[in-house]
Amino acid sequence: MTQDSPISFPLPDPPTLYHPAPLLSELREHRPVAQVAFPDGKLAWLVTRHADVRTVLIDSRFSRALATGEDMPQMGLGSLANESLIAKDPPEHTRLRRLVARAFTARRVEELRPRVATVVSDLIAGLRKQPQPANLVEHFSLPLPVQVICDLLGVPATDRDRFHGWSDAAMGNWERDQDVMAGAFISLGGYFMELIEAKRAAPADDLMSALIAARDDDDRLSEEELITMGIGLLIGGHETTANQINMFLLTLLEHPEQLEWLKANPGRLDVAVEELMRFTQLGSSTASLIRVTTEPVELSGVTIPAGQAVMPAIGAANRDPGVFTDPDRLDLGRAENPHIGFGAGVHHCLGAQLARMELQEALRGLLTELPDLRVAVPDSELRFKPTMIVRSVEELPVVWS
Amino acid sequence: MTWRLRVDREACIGSGMCAGAVPEAFDLDADGKSRPVREEINPDQDVLDAAVSCPVEAIAVLGRDGEEIPWD
Ligand code: HEM
Ligand code: SF4
């Protein structure tokens, strides 16, 4: 590999679902801070080592707010990328995040566990009634996170059909028309304006009502921020959680001896979910959202000048042999596991504790109630939505006996 | 008046949120876990905000007599 020519980005798709592109591992070893070129010619630095990726995510010399500028390469998230928590730097970010943080702490999430276990059982009961092969995405992986976040926010689950198409479109993808994404975002905004008015009239014990009170009683966020926060919370965790459920199942089926171990050791589900979080490649390009340097920063001996785009490759960092023993091996009982599958720093996933609990309950339900669940088609027949950030399978046909 | 700052290292999951938000007050050690840069600090809203936002409630901000400083 030559040291100076930029590499085309996105990288070619990896040959398997279960590992990062071989080029990423090569880069991590030989060129951990590499310049890449987007199709439109914009340049960015791709960072692949665990320590460097953590620095990019945590160190305040890397800004998310600057990354939303017109001249920066844009990917994924569509309009959400410009308006929500993920688009702000401290202190603005801090002010907004603290308004929602309490609803997502480990302690609060534990209180929701029995309710989530019930949702899991109900969905599995519904799945069983389907003719086989049944689509796991439609009957389980997607409705679970949607139902859970709707409960938490106080969004009527019956409205799901209204917002699902918009949320799909608002997340956007590399090729998608900017107008389509913007239109979907506007529709979601209209939906939330209605919902907020309804809740103003009749507040309930839910997160949207609490946010409305923070707006109306204490003026701690603007009306626009209130709407954007609602949209972000509603759609932010769907695809990610659904994708992880699908990928966790595929990964376990690909590692039958590990799957047997987990069935025999249900008490280790929490550790197993951490290992699956580390192992699973969230998107095919495995890069997280771009940051921009506010001053020159040195990473692994390379000085990145101020004002440049930097992409932290979380998927590659989670396979760094300097941090994880035998990193490309799935080891569900792995003891030391400082993976960064939920990011790090001020943007560390707001829903991390919630997602962990949902994933634990989802696996517990599937493994105990449908112990011989199998995917009915080979991996080569799975089709994925072309998003940059999250790789989501359109349909996952499953069978059981 | 000074505050005292504590991080429960057993509880800390190394999210890096506090150190990302207020690097003057929180530092990540080699294990990626947080610790206060100084145990005694001047009252600081940013530190309170970081304590509120810790996903596992590992940060305690205490007054002189060990009482918890209210978050709001
Ligand atoms: C397994 C499922 C999930 C995964 C893998 C995941 C992953 C991530 C990652 C990597 C980030 C950091 C992005 C960055 O810094 O560039 C993030 C941020 C975020 N996630 Fe998640 N997430 C998941 C589930 C959820 C859920 C269920 C919610 C629902 C509340 C959620 C809400 C958010 C929000 C609001 C942010 C932005 C936080 C901020 O900027 O302060 N996520 N997520
Ligand atoms: S915010 Fe909490 S969990 Fe995260 S590093 Fe700080 S103390 Fe640890």
Side-chain angles (χ1 to χ4, degrees), chain A residues 61-85:
Chain A
R61 291 173 298 173
F62 296 87
S63 159
R64 269 294 304 151
L66 292 178
T68 58
E70 284 282 320
D71 51 333
M72 287 296 154
Q74 300 297 326
M75 49 193 269
L77 293 200
S79 339
L80 198 53
N82 297 327
E83 315 269 348
S84 59
L85 275 178

Side-chain angles (χ1 to χ4, degrees), chain A residues 366-379:
Chain A
L366 292 177
L367 298 188
T368 51
E369 294 183 42
L370 299 170
D372 69 340
L373 187 69
R374 303 176 299 286
V375 175
V377 298
D379 289 357

Side-chain angles (χ1 to χ4, degrees), chain A residues 54 58 60 90 93-94 97-98 101-102 104-107 220 344-346 348 353 356, chain B residues 13-17 19-21 28 32 45 49 51-57 71-72:
Chain A
R54 262 182 76 90
I58 295 172
S60 61
H93 175 270
T94 320
R97 175 116 179 185
R98 66 163 290 164
R102 296 330 289 168
F104 292 92
T105 60
R107 190 159 50 100
R220 294 169 73 167
V346 298
H348 177 263
Q353 313 307 317
R356 286 186 158 107
Chain B
I13 55 168
S15 72
M17 283 212 56
L28 299 173
Q45 183 62 39
D49 287 341
V52 178
S53 292
C54 171
V56 290
E57 302 173 87
W71 280 333
D72 285 297

Side-chain angles (χ1 to χ4, degrees), chain A residues 85-86 93 97 104 237 240-241 244 288-289 291 341 343 347 349:
Chain A
L85 275 178
I86 194 68
H93 175 270
R97 175 116 179 185
F104 292 92
T240 39
T241 311
Q244 293 300 75
S288 183
L289 296 175
R291 271 61 179 174
H347 299 289
C349 178

